[in-house]
Amino acid sequence: MIDALTALADGNHDLAREVLTRPSPEHPKLRDALAKYLDGEASRSVYDQPAAFEAFINLGDNVPLYKATSAALAAQYRKHEVSSLLDIGCGDGMALVPALAETAVPQVTLVEPSQALLKAAVAKLNRPVTQVPTTLGEFVDGLDAHFDLAESTFAMHTMPHEERSAVLTALRPHVRRIAIVEFDVPEHEGVDWLRFLADTYERGVSQFDRDLVSQGFLMPVLVGQLVPGAVRSTWEQSAKAWVDQFTACGYQDVRAEPLSEYWWSPAFLLTASG
């Protein structure tokens, strides 16, 4: 499997396909899923099939993960008496909706570039909210509003590191506090990184053993991290790197605490003041 991932990282799809046809007992689920994906259109974005993402977040480890995430968000609303909330990359509301059901917040603004996912979130909330169908970068450009709390669950990692720093810096004067949930991804390099990807994605594909999820979400994310010129979807990092990045952007009292175990990497909650 490592040879196939190495070939992808070198941009050699033909060699990767050939390697995947060789008999091997290692990573059988991932081998099958990746071979099938490479035989199709391997340049898709994970948002080309919103149904794949929606199916993904409702299965496996995501069930306890999102339960813990929603509880953590609701705790932030109560602790800091939040009356105005900005949710960045709300998706279909998987984390947000239960949190608001537990602890009401009068004013809610949703920023989500996928109109299909934003529509689904609004339908689930069934209450007046401000909808902003755009990226965070476009949203903060010229922003003059202020929010008690900005939150983001598994969405900040979809921005390249430099772009993320720029928007976090621009956002900071407009928020009293910020809370994000992300994954504490180890900072491996080279072969160690490829081995980590192979091991974790074998667990992921095994847990979400459905073509819709593996072909519409997991494989595009994996390939996007490896293939030169592919549509990349994630720019993740360790919890320490997240803390350092928020601190460098001017946030105060930046803290990260464990939240939930997960097949990919442990999830954590980062909180800070603006």
Side-chain angles (χ1 to χ4, degrees), residues 26-239:
E26 295 186 342
H27 310 100
K29 294 286 188 179
L30 176 57
R31 294 175 69 88
D32 290 347
L34 184 55
K36 182 173 183 178
Y37 184 75
L38 294 178
D39 285 339
E41 175 51 65
S43 63
R44 293 168 292 183
S45 164
V46 297
Y47 289 112
D48 286 349
Q49 296 188 64
F53 176 72
E54 291 173 349
F56 168 73
I57 62 174
N58 282 282
L59 297 170
D61 282 355
N62 286 316
V63 176
L65 171 66
Y66 275 86
K67 183 177 181 180
T69 299
S70 297
L73 296 180
Q76 290 291 308
Y77 306 161
R78 292 191 298 271
K79 180 178 179 180
H80 300 291
E81 299 180 343
V82 173
S83 61
S84 56
L85 172 68
L86 170 66
D87 190 297
I88 302 162
C90 65
D92 71 348
M94 184 74 172
L96 174 66
V97 173
L100 287 177
E102 184 177 339
T103 305
V105 176
Q107 300 176 23
V108 178
T109 298
L110 307 182
V111 176
E112 169 55 57
S114 169
Q115 295 197 14
L117 293 176
L118 179 59
K119 182 179 179 180
V122 172
K124 290 177 183 178
L125 284 170
N126 193 30
R127 54 162 288 182
V129 297
T130 300
Q131 304 175 48
V132 187
T134 187
T135 65
L136 178 59
E138 294 172 339
F139 176 71
V140 298
D141 186 19
L143 179 66
D144 58 8
H146 193 276
F147 303 91
D148 290 336
L149 178 70
E151 67 183 22
S152 179
T153 55
F154 315 113
M156 284 287 179
H157 67 242
T158 63
M159 287 183 282
H161 299 295
E162 291 184 3
E163 177 185 339
R164 186 192 303 141
S165 289
V167 297
L168 284 174
T169 300
L171 178 65
R172 182 179 51 78
H174 301 280
V175 298
R176 179 162 60 91
R177 294 195 59 81
I178 191 167
I180 73 164
V181 180
E182 285 290 350
F183 297 112
D184 184 8
V185 179
E187 297 179 352
H188 294 314
E189 296 182 357
V191 174
D192 289 339
W193 174 243
L194 297 180
R195 186 173 294 109
F196 171 77
L197 288 176
D199 291 343
T200 55
Y201 272 85
E202 176 67 17
R203 293 198 297 270
V205 173
S206 298
Q207 187 171 119
F208 307 98
D209 196 9
R210 291 177 56 186
D211 274 357
L212 175 63
V213 174
S214 65
Q215 300 302 305
F217 185 77
L218 292 177
M219 292 304 96
V221 173
L222 173 61
V223 170
Q225 295 182 79
L226 292 172
V227 177
V231 179
R232 184 170 178 177
S233 304
T234 61
W235 288 265
E236 295 179 287
Q237 57 190 1
S238 67

